[in-house]
Amino acid sequence: MSTPQLSRAFHARPDATAGLHTPQAIEEVRITPTGAALGAVVDGLDANRPLSPALVFALQSALDDHHILIFKQQRLDDDAFLSFSTYFGSVFRRPQDVPVLGSEAQGIPPDVVFVSNVETGGYLGSGELTPHADHQWTPLPSAGSLLYALEVPAIGGDTSWYNLNAAYEALDDATRAQIDGLQLITYNPFVRQIENARIKAEGGEAEYPPYRSPAREPLGAAFPHPLVRTHPRSGKKILFLSTHTEVELLGIAPAEGEALIARLREHIVQPRFRYTHRWSVGDIVHWDNQATLHARTAFPAAERRTLKRVSLAGSRPF
Ligand code: OGA
Ligand code: MN
């Protein structure tokens, strides 16, 4: 588990058949929008095979247009999944003092994170996950992630994505003028988890404050980012705000900041900005973490759900 896999992922595979070395052409692939607020389905692509340059550009540009890409019927080992993922960026690394998913055990999260409720060593269990962007509390939030489904439950465990560019575009002019230029801190939910464990050990109730009030100590290191960010590739404006994590706006009176954030969050979670994915085994969903939130419904703990995740490095939000 702790072995970095990237070093292995690109080794030539002498046993591979000739077809596995031939880059696949753009003509072999179809990209079809989901018809929902975001997302496109990619058919005809085999993520085991190299991609032609034109295909890499086409996929990157489809991602910029649709924010998530859904690849069907894949069958990959971890090394092949990592090789495929890194066409779109290098692997996300956290700063040493900022915990993220997968960093508890060895300090460095594995390149391929095991998102599963089944065996020991899996992350995220079977509960609901509220809409969030991964690593938003770090100085350099990841640019995107890919989740690859190996086992899916018969019921529940659906993942939804929200289009934060559409959410921004749908704001009225007065609200846009009010929020352009604001800086937002998103506090680290993994530090909150540690804090809650301490509170519970002392007999208290876990706390999930949506907004930091002046009475509360700031929760660990804080990295402000623009509330309205500009997508580094497409230039689109993004309302970069998760819906439940503790946040704080800089330079705004607390009561006013809290009310504004509550109003923006209510706006973001409207179904018209959402695509919900019902997983099939073999699906890979590649999402742009700079333009979307994602959420998951709970599923029965007795069901098995196993996905693998690769997160890609991002740049400083602006
Ligand atoms: C994640 C995540 C959602 C899911 O891996 O970052 O939020 O559907 N997963 O498991
Ligand atoms: Mn996530």
Side-chain angles (χ1 to χ4, degrees), residues 147-224:
L147 265 180
Y148 168 44
L150 292 168
E151 294 182 291
V152 302
I155 178 173
D158 298 341
T159 309
S160 292
W161 281 266
Y162 293 82
N163 182 339
L164 296 181
N165 166 246
Y168 175 80
E169 300 290 344
L171 292 170
D172 59 67
D173 289 347
T175 305
R176 285 198 210 180
Q178 189 184 4
I179 66 174
D180 272 339
L182 290 182
Q183 294 279 317
L184 178 85
I185 294 169
T186 301
Y187 287 102
N188 190 325
F190 295 91
V191 177
R192 168 60 61 201
Q193 244 172 41
I194 296 164
E195 176 66 4
N196 276 337
R198 193 188 60 74
I199 293 173
K200 276 188 174 165
E202 291 176 0
E205 283 276 310
E207 296 175 348
Y208 300 94
Y211 196 90
R212 189 177 85 83
S213 64
R216 248 174 223 292
E217 282 295 306
L219 199 61
F223 305 100

Side-chain angles (χ1 to χ4, degrees), residues 68-246:
I68 76 170
L69 296 181
I70 301 149
F71 301 89
K72 302 298 288 182
Q73 295 187 309
Q74 302 300 317
R75 200 190 163 95
L76 299 166
D77 62 22
D78 281 7
D79 289 349
F81 181 36
L82 196 53
S83 301
F84 174 66
S85 300
T86 48
Y87 273 118
F88 308 103
S90 52
V91 176
F92 170 83
R93 298 283 179 234
R94 70 172 185 131
Q96 217 166 15
D97 55 343
V98 182
V100 297
L101 185 73
S103 69
E104 300 90 324
Q106 290 96 21
I108 304 174
D111 293 339
V112 179
V113 176
F114 191 52
V115 175
S116 176
N117 70 321
V118 292
E119 290 136 50
T120 47
Y123 290 101
L124 296 179
S126 58
E128 180 192 358
L129 300 172
T130 57
H132 65 280
D134 291 339
H135 312 121
Q136 192 173 3
W137 52 91
T138 72
L140 307 177
S142 51
S145 284
L146 297 92
L147 265 180
Y148 168 44
L150 292 168
E151 294 182 291
V152 302
I155 178 173
D158 298 341
T159 309
S160 292
W161 281 266
Y162 293 82
N163 182 339
L164 296 181
N165 166 246
Y168 175 80
E169 300 290 344
L171 292 170
D172 59 67
D173 289 347
T175 305
R176 285 198 210 180
Q178 189 184 4
I179 66 174
D180 272 339
L182 290 182
Q183 294 279 317
L184 178 85
I185 294 169
T186 301
Y187 287 102
N188 190 325
F190 295 91
V191 177
R192 168 60 61 201
Q193 244 172 41
I194 296 164
E195 176 66 4
N196 276 337
R198 193 188 60 74
I199 293 173
K200 276 188 174 165
E202 291 176 0
E205 283 276 310
E207 296 175 348
Y208 300 94
Y211 196 90
R212 189 177 85 83
S213 64
R216 248 174 223 292
E217 282 295 306
L219 199 61
F223 305 100
H225 296 307
L227 174 60
V228 179
R229 71 180 289 190
T230 302
H231 193 277
R233 294 178 51 88
S234 67
K236 291 178 187 172
K237 295 278 194 199
I238 310 293
L239 180 53
F240 197 47
L241 173 68
S242 66
T243 64
H244 289 69
T245 317
E246 185 177 0

Side-chain angles (χ1 to χ4, degrees), residues 14-15 55 76 126 131 270 302:
D15 57 332
L55 183 51
L76 299 166
S126 58
Q270 295 179 72

